[in-house]
Amino acid sequence: MMEALSTTSTAAELRRAQLLLVAKELILSEGVEALRHAAVAERAGVTRAVIYRYFPTQSDFIVAIGDEFIEALKQRLSPEKQVEAARASVSSDFAAAEIYFDVVFSVLEDKGPASLMLLLEPDLTPKLKSFWASVEVEQYGHWLQESADLGITAIDSQVLIQVGKMTLLTLYKIYRAGEISRNQAVSRVSYVICSLINTLRTNPCN
């Protein structure tokens, strides 16, 4: 009986992972606005009832994609290492900061850039607004704290986060298109973000 339950659980997990993969592919090819249960069902070759069983709402898809990215990043880079990367970025230690961005590229290659694309989208529902706010605190809190300690304003920090996300996604896409190497892409991300932090630190906007 226990073996049968285990098999059922594994089958359910595999089905959920398959549907999540289809959802991510849909976002990449057609955008977040195309993420609908009917579209996922058509691509996955299942009924909409199957989709609703695993992901009752669009928000459930998006939260699952975000959680998957966060957990993958945690598995590859400890919180302590993330703090080190934050400190490196505000001290112009580009080589040390690159460690963090190289890990992010690894996660993007493994899980796909859909989660990063979602971070750049406007909030779709109150639930998602709250979710992405918690993600930003967890993922960028180290940078925000280091920036605040250097006198960078909260508004400038928010601009920094948005520029950083767009820079990361843009250079990742350029790398995947074969225009530059992965090392070049990671180095550019680190340089742009570290340079912006240090510009705001030495020339604060009033």
Side-chain angles (χ1 to χ4, degrees), residues 56-67:
T57 69
Q58 182 196 52
S59 297
D60 292 312
F61 268 120
I62 294 174
V63 169
I65 292 170
D67 280 338

Side-chain angles (χ1 to χ4, degrees), residues 51-83:
I51 307 298
Y52 283 110
R53 187 185 310 157
Y54 294 94
F55 301 97
T57 69
Q58 182 196 52
S59 297
D60 292 312
F61 268 120
I62 294 174
V63 169
I65 292 170
D67 280 338
E68 180 185 62
F69 181 88
I70 292 169
E71 289 306 311
L73 186 59
K74 285 180 180 178
Q75 290 175 9
R76 289 169 170 81
L77 197 67
S78 68
E80 293 76 19
K81 290 296 183 181
Q82 293 189 38
V83 170

Side-chain angles (χ1 to χ4, degrees), residues 28 105 113 117 168-179:
L28 294 178
F105 265 62
M117 291 177 66
L168 185 59
L169 180 59
T170 299
L171 283 165
Y172 179 78
K173 287 183 174 180
I174 292 173
Y175 151 63
R176 294 299 294 177
E179 297 179 36

